Amino acid sequence: MSLAGDTPKGRLAIIAGSGLLPSHVAEAAREAGENPFIIALKGEVDRSWDGFDHAVIGVGDFAGVIRALESNGVDRVVMSGGVKRRPEWREVRPTFKTLMKVPATIRTLLSGGDDTVLRMVIKLIEVDGRRVVGAHEIAPDLLASVGPIGAAGFSADDARDIAKAIEAAEALGRLDVGQGAVAVGGRIVALEGVEGTDAMLERVAELRAAGRISARRRGVLVKLCKPQQDIRADLPSIGISTVSNLRKAGLAGVAVEAGRSLILDRKAVMKAADEAGIFVVGLDRGLPNWGLS
């Protein structure tokens, strides 16, 4: 029996794509006493969910997702992990309520930027009174804090590169294209597109090896939330693979937006960064010059 004034809480669902984030969120939910239901996106998930109640559902199968939410008493949904492939129009399966919106849905899936698509998906999920919550609300320990994260610091040259990459990342975000930019010697050398951060850093390493980027100047990666981004989905994130690719690309470090970016497996990231002499720093948008000086 619930006490007067208590609001019964339904089940939490995690829509899981690729990468480590869905696992971190699921474990954090369990530690908080939740029994999360996992909707594993077909063709995207890269781990087994056998230890959790779960269903494997296609990316465009909105009707299947809603049925799974209804049958499992879900009232809150977290969207986490990467989605590399957009569904073809033939794969889109709408719910009855959204049947009349199919043309608009398909247009958004085919031509909208990531943030536009995520906003549409959030609306479809919330149509029956459910709430979409951010991964950081379930796993707040993942949020980047302000200042250095690890032993390495950044130089004055690094600070100038960070400032330049911030400008580029914000412009890129306003276009709803990507979240990351790389600056070397005060010059933007790479912008993140649909390939993602790791692939962009691999491209920087190739450019460096080919002599297209100065071997004397190290440079930095900056990852920021898009200015218009709904922070309940697709917050910028870094992890062990980011540190490894920074090292391969010869970069000095990475700056992320504190409070609006995620660090996956913080202790392991700090250890790997310290061993490689790479800095990781959280920037505060509310401070003058983002707290760089």
Side-chain angles (χ1 to χ4, degrees):
M1 179 181 295
S2 62
L3 297 176
D6 284 354
T7 301
K9 186 166 67 172
R11 198 172 188 183
L12 173 73
I14 299 171
I15 298 179
S18 61
L20 296 174
L21 179 57
S23 296
H24 283 289
V25 175
E27 293 299 337
R30 268 192 171 169
E31 289 176 9
E34 300 265 12
N35 177 27
F37 180 78
I38 312 299
I39 295 176
L41 296 178
K42 185 177 181 180
E44 300 292 345
V45 292
D46 46 19
R47 62 149 287 179
S48 169
W49 287 103
D50 288 346
F52 292 81
D53 292 345
H54 70 282
V56 179
I57 299 176
V59 174
D61 188 359
F62 298 115
V65 169
I66 296 302
R67 282 196 302 270
L69 299 181
E70 289 174 346
S71 62
N72 286 278
V74 170
D75 69 349
R76 290 157 298 132
V77 178
V78 177
M79 299 164 59
S80 64
V83 177
K84 297 182 179 66
R85 188 185 71 87
R86 300 249 180 128
E88 298 291 338
W89 68 267
R90 298 178 185 84
E91 300 173 282
V92 177
R93 296 180 175 85
T95 64
F96 180 76
K97 288 184 179 180
T98 59
L99 199 56
M100 299 302 293
K101 300 179 182 178
V102 170
T105 299
I106 291 173
R107 279 197 302 273
T108 300
L109 285 171
L110 293 178
S111 61
D114 287 348
D115 191 60
T116 302
V117 170
L118 289 170
R119 286 177 183 272
M120 178 196 72
V121 173
I122 287 172
K123 286 181 180 179
L124 291 173
I125 291 171
E126 292 190 331
V127 71
D128 288 319
R130 296 176 196 87
R131 289 190 302 120
V132 173
V133 297
H136 60 288
E137 297 178 65
I138 305 301
D141 290 347
L142 297 180
L143 280 173
S145 52
V146 178
I149 302 163
F154 56 85
S155 67
D157 285 343
D158 295 331
R160 285 190 286 272
D161 280 341
I162 291 171
K164 190 69 176 179
I166 285 173
E167 292 180 19
E170 288 204 299
L172 192 68
R174 280 192 291 272
L175 294 172
D176 197 6
V177 175
Q179 299 170 322
V182 174
V184 178
R187 179 168 69 105
I188 299 301
V189 300
L191 298 172
E192 181 188 18
V194 296
E195 80 278 23
T197 303
D198 286 343
M200 175 183 65
L201 292 176
E202 290 172 7
R203 179 158 42 93
V204 173
E206 292 169 359
L207 290 169
R208 182 93 71 179
R212 299 292 302 277
I213 297 175
S214 169
R216 295 182 299 105
R217 300 176 183 272
R218 294 190 69 186
V220 303
L221 164 68
V222 168
K223 292 195 72 172
L224 303 178
C225 255
K226 299 171 185 175
Q228 75 284 358
Q229 184 167 338
D230 189 322
I231 64 170
R232 292 175 293 175
D234 195 30
L235 283 181
S237 64
I238 61 171
I240 288 290
S241 65
T242 314
V243 175
S244 175
N245 283 311
L246 287 168
R247 179 182 56 77
K248 292 174 184 176
L251 298 177
V254 55
V256 296
E257 187 171 354
R260 303 211 315 164
S261 299
L262 306 175
I263 301 179
L264 309 182
D265 203 344
R266 183 184 299 255
K267 288 183 179 179
V269 167
M270 288 175 60
K271 182 175 184 292
D274 288 349
E275 289 175 350
I278 286 172
F279 73 80
V280 181
V281 64
L283 305 176
D284 189 337
R285 183 184 290 268
L287 293 176
N289 198 30
W290 290 75
L292 288 171
S293 60

